[in-house]
Amino acid sequence: MTRKQLFRWVLLVTLAEAAGFTVPAAVGVAVTAAPSKPTTTLFAMVLAGSVEGAVLGSAQADCLYRWRVLPARRRWVAATSVGAAVAWSLGMLPSTLGGMSWTSGTAVAAVAGGLMLLTSLPLAQYFVLRDHVRQPILWIPINMVAWLLGIAWTLLPSPWVDQSTATGMLILVYSVSGLCMAATVATVTGLGMIRLLRPPRTEMGGNGQRSTSRGKHYAWSEQRD
């Protein structure tokens, strides 16, 4: 059952993230081709990021709903969309402000902003997940690791492409790296979610019977496919 759950999560989340990422990618190409005000670009990219988050959240919510972890999908989808919008707003902030000089203060601000960017999406999801699994706070570092590893794929093509690279090759290279990013995020978060849904260890009670610490909100037993 665990393998089946993991396969479903990885497949759906990979496809959803790959598809969802095409929205901000397309918007980014459009605003680059037709230069506009930084605030307009920021608004367009944040809106596109919220769509990406909604697509990603829909795939994750479908799995969690089918496994009876969540009673409904809409809160998870909304939280993921908001978290993604916040992440994109933080990511676009340096280019929107422009003209920033690197000092010790800006370096600290950049590190803090990076941490906020990595935690914004899983933190929004945490407030939905906290009533339904054990140790929901672990979902935040799980996602931080997943996205750090995933983003690394998008940086790999840079040394081998430049302005002379054919458009078709650019699309192919970055499409493959984007798919690898999505698969990495899906795999790490899938393994993490399966771990969070694992039943608590049973212990011998005072009457000689096994007992567990499961609360009324925890739904990792009797999961359905």
Side-chain angles (χ1 to χ4, degrees):
M1 187 64 180
T2 299
R3 291 181 181 178
K4 198 172 182 180
Q5 289 175 325
L6 181 60
F7 176 79
R8 182 183 183 86
W9 178 282
V10 171
L11 178 61
L12 292 184
V13 173
T14 297
L15 294 176
E17 174 55 26
F21 187 71
T22 62
V23 179
V27 172
V29 171
V31 298
T32 301
S36 56
K37 294 181 179 180
T39 52
T40 303
T41 300
L42 174 64
F43 178 77
M45 294 304 298
V46 170
L47 183 60
S50 69
V51 175
E52 177 194 4
V55 175
L56 172 63
S58 295
Q60 295 176 328
D62 182 73
C63 293
L64 296 175
Y65 178 77
R66 286 176 179 270
W67 302 339
R68 296 182 180 178
V69 177
L70 298 179
R73 298 179 176 91
R74 58 184 179 274
R75 286 187 62 204
W76 183 271
V77 175
T80 309
S81 180
V82 171
V86 173
W88 273 98
S89 65
L90 292 170
M92 292 295 298
L93 198 58
S95 61
T96 302
L97 295 177
M100 296 177 61
S101 58
W102 283 101
T103 63
S104 58
T106 54
V108 172
V111 172
L115 290 175
M116 292 173 62
L117 188 153
L118 288 172
T119 59
S120 56
L121 191 150
L123 180 61
Q125 293 177 329
Y126 161 80
F127 289 106
V128 181
L129 194 64
R130 61 182 177 177
D131 292 331
H132 305 288
V133 301
R134 296 179 303 123
Q135 299 179 313
I137 195 67
L138 294 180
W139 183 241
I140 297 176
I142 288 170
N143 273 265
M144 292 176 69
V145 172
W147 285 103
L148 280 174
L149 294 176
I151 290 172
W153 284 105
T154 65
L155 303 178
L156 286 181
S158 299
W160 293 279
V161 298
D162 52 35
Q163 294 180 346
S164 63
T165 305
T167 302
M169 182 57 67
L170 282 175
I171 294 175
L172 176 61
V173 169
Y174 281 103
S175 294
V176 171
S177 65
L179 187 60
C180 290
M181 176 196 73
T184 300
V185 172
T187 301
V188 176
T189 56
L191 290 170
M193 181 58 74
I194 295 298
R195 177 64 181 85
L196 293 180
L197 299 180
R198 186 173 299 172
R201 293 180 179 180
T202 56
E203 299 177 353
M204 296 299 295
N207 56 1
Q209 297 180 346
R210 289 187 179 275
S211 61
T212 69
S213 59
R214 183 176 60 184
K216 63 179 180 179
H217 295 296
Y218 299 150
W220 49 74
S221 65
E222 300 178 358
Q223 296 167 346
R224 65 182 180 188
D225 182 29

